[in-house]
Amino acid sequence: MFQGTIPGPMRAIVRETASSWPRGDAYIPCCGNFTIERSLSGMGFTLHSSDVSIYTTAVGRWLTRQPVGIGLREESKGQLDWLADSLDEAVGTVATLMLGTRFLASVGREGLWHERVVRSYRDQWKDKHAETVQRLSASDVELASYTVEDVRSWLQKVPREVPVCSFPPFYGGGYEKLYEPLNTHFEWDAPQYEPLSDADVVDVLGAITDRPYWLTASNHDVPELRGNLRGVIKSTPRAAPFYVYASKAPARIVAPRQLIEPVTAPRLRRGEKLTGPLRLSLLKPGQFNALRSRYLNPRIAPGKAKLAVAVKDGLGRVLGVFAMAPSSYSLDEVYVLSDFAVAPTDYPRLSKLIVLAATSAEARLLCQRAFSRRFRTVGTTAFSDKPVSMKYRGALRLAKRSPSNEDGWKYQLQYQGAMGEHTLAEALENWAKRWGARATTSQTGV
């Protein structure tokens, strides 16, 4: 219900750690999305929370039966007058802000996508708002107090002997950027404070740990706290790790686990000749995971596939796999999450055939059925130490080259191309002419 970025396993660690704390008052600075409060609910603690963001303050004041004190800015009433009846100084205002985090960033921005987002929420507002109010009203979180105050001054008032649990902002200025759309359109009695710098975050961690009972977490590996490191959480392969520090707690490591299912179809092997026609076969998630683990470069962090497809030859042998998802940036573009060929084979450029199969008319039909929208283009991202990707060169167009945001690679390359302008038969014919030469015996090492 509450928005946030703390992984699920953290709640279990909070409850496990807090079970050894003395019951009574517990203080939660930088309470954010109330993950800690929800974790400690029902354990016998009297909870006191503090924060400075508009979103958290709306929730915190409502949970402590204070007037929320948030309303539309005068300059926003023309665009957002349809929200006015939902602002009631209580749960209705909280529900409005929660839904606002999903669409307010598009208000007043040009572009069909932004216009559709705002129109969708406006047309469905009464139902969405009523549903959110109902969900909020079912919350069992109880707070003894909520204070709007900077964490640095609030911690100085917290009694030293009571437990403190907090997940401070991981990046300086993170709150301000996250809730900028809410502050743009809503006015409230916002506190005056200096945003936390990265150095301030480390200082706050030090203030939290200067007491007998405490727990905190960060995606910063804090050298000064390594003696109190109680766990490392990496909930998904692409997620940043969380470092859990506590005065006293069992040690825990949380790592991603993927479902694996057997793939009984044969694969093209060295010494075997590829034969047509090509065909596509849907894969179960566990089957895709099994093939990806076997053939994909282990340096590439995998994503979750919404549509996974095996490319097979005329004898039913698996040649490779591609996985798709709708693009987050264009309604008519499908994004290739992953594509790879089986190995070893006699075909050094077999991966290009998988790319051509993934952009075929047959692949487009599968995507349109799976995602219920029409697609005209395809996009993907390649990480490489070279300025171009030899796998996509000649098959897709290089749209953008930038420094890599993934460790271990020099370049991040964005490729795009048309979707569905050739059939699988034409893909095989084109590949055979340009890239389908078999390696010699000396080249394959046989």
Side-chain angles (χ1 to χ4, degrees):
M1 176 177 62
F2 301 124
Q3 105 172 3
T5 56
I6 303 299
M10 181 62 74
R11 296 184 64 177
I13 291 178
V14 169
R15 290 186 66 88
E16 180 182 46
T17 303
S19 63
S20 63
W21 292 347
R23 296 306 186 266
D25 292 332
Y27 288 75
I28 302 96
C30 300
C31 59
N33 62 347
F34 297 90
T35 300
I36 297 171
E37 289 84 346
R38 286 178 283 152
S39 302
L40 299 180
S41 179
M43 294 186 67
F45 293 101
T46 302
L47 303 177
H48 304 272
S49 304
S50 173
D51 212 311
V52 293
S53 77
I54 183 174
Y55 172 88
T56 306
T57 297
V59 179
R61 286 177 172 173
W62 167 64
L63 289 175
T64 52
R65 297 176 177 81
Q66 302 177 59
V68 174
I70 296 173
L72 270 175
R73 293 186 182 276
E74 191 66 34
E75 57 268 29
S76 296
K77 290 181 178 179
Q79 294 174 302
L80 299 172
D81 59 331
W82 45 280
L83 300 180
D85 292 340
S86 302
L87 303 174
D88 60 0
E89 287 291 338
V91 66
T93 300
V94 175
T96 300
L97 293 186
M98 285 189 169
L99 292 170
T101 61
R102 305 176 187 175
F103 76 89
L104 285 176
S106 292
V107 173
R109 297 182 63 179
E110 296 182 356
L112 287 176
W113 189 85
H114 294 294
E115 293 172 3
R116 288 170 178 169
V117 168
V118 177
R119 184 169 60 248
S120 173
Y121 273 88
R122 184 179 62 241
D123 293 345
Q124 303 176 68
W125 181 253
K126 288 186 178 180
D127 291 338
K128 285 181 176 291
H129 188 263
E131 178 186 351
T132 306
V133 167
Q134 183 178 12
R135 293 173 61 196
L136 281 167
S137 300
S139 172
D140 58 356
V141 178
E142 295 183 4
L143 297 184
S145 70
Y146 175 83
T147 306
V148 185
E149 187 172 347
D150 185 277
V151 60
R152 288 160 286 198
S153 60
W154 195 69
L155 277 173
Q156 295 176 8
K157 304 174 184 177
V158 175
R160 188 180 182 279
E161 67 277 5
V162 300
V164 170
C165 187
S166 179
F167 306 147
F170 301 136
Y171 300 103
Y175 271 174
E176 291 71 26
K177 186 65 176 178
L178 179 62
Y179 297 123
E180 182 179 356
L182 293 180
N183 286 306
T184 297
H185 296 288
F186 291 91
E187 58 183 357
W188 65 299
D189 53 335
Q192 297 296 318
Y193 68 96
E194 289 294 326
L196 293 176
S197 66
D198 291 344
D200 288 333
V201 172
V202 176
D203 291 340
V204 168
L205 289 175
I208 291 170
T209 60
D210 185 25
R211 56 193 70 247
Y213 306 104
W214 58 271
L215 180 145
T216 189
S218 174
N219 62 357
H220 293 275
D221 180 11
V222 184
E224 295 82 359
L225 296 180
R226 284 178 184 166
N228 294 100
L229 182 63
R230 305 302 183 199
V232 179
I233 298 176
K234 189 174 176 65
S235 55
T236 68
R238 301 189 71 88
F242 282 79
Y243 299 91
V244 183
Y245 305 95
S247 54
K248 184 179 180 181
R252 293 284 183 262
I253 294 179
V254 178
R257 178 184 178 186
Q258 65 176 358
L259 172 69
I260 297 292
E261 296 182 62
V263 179
T264 58
R267 298 98 188 262
L268 183 69
R269 300 185 183 278
R270 184 173 290 166
E272 297 178 345
K273 183 179 180 180
L274 188 157
T275 62
L278 299 182
R279 61 187 179 93
L280 305 179
S281 296
L282 297 179
L283 292 170
K284 297 178 181 179
Q287 293 175 321
F288 170 68
N289 291 339
L291 292 170
R292 178 179 61 187
S293 299
R294 174 66 179 84
Y295 298 110
L296 187 65
N297 188 327
R299 294 170 60 194
I300 300 176
K304 185 176 181 181
K306 296 186 177 181
L307 174 68
V309 181
V311 182
K312 296 181 178 180
D313 75 349
L315 298 179
R317 296 171 297 192
V318 176
L319 307 177
V321 173
F322 61 84
M324 304 292 215
S327 172
S328 301
Y329 305 101
S330 176
L331 289 174
D332 62 356
E333 181 176 272
V334 65
Y335 186 77
V336 183
L337 288 168
S338 179
D339 63 281
F340 53 88
V342 300
T345 70
D346 291 352
Y347 300 92
R349 296 186 177 180
L350 181 60
S351 60
K352 285 186 177 289
L353 179 58
I354 309 305
V355 176
L356 293 176
T359 57
S360 66
E362 292 87 342
R364 181 175 67 174
L365 181 59
L366 287 179
C367 292
Q368 292 178 162
R369 287 175 175 174
F371 306 133
S372 299
R373 72 170 72 162
R374 293 185 180 275
F375 295 106
R376 293 185 298 177
T377 61
V378 63
T380 192
T381 304
F383 295 93
S384 176
D385 291 327
K386 298 180 179 180
V388 296
S389 168
M390 298 309 296
K391 177 169 66 172
Y392 297 120
R393 185 178 182 180
L396 297 176
R397 174 180 59 86
L398 178 61
K400 183 180 180 181
R401 179 190 299 118
S402 58
S404 175
N405 61 8
E406 295 276 353
D407 292 338
W409 305 101
K410 187 174 181 181
Y411 296 105
Q412 181 170 318
L413 309 171
Q414 304 293 336
Y415 280 88
Q416 291 180 321
M419 183 71 166
E421 292 190 348
H422 59 261
T423 64
L424 285 174
E426 292 168 338
L428 179 59
E429 181 181 4
N430 182 26
W431 174 82
K433 290 179 180 179
R434 301 179 63 184
W435 304 298
R438 297 178 70 180
T440 63
T441 300
S442 60
Q443 288 174 317
T444 60
V446 177

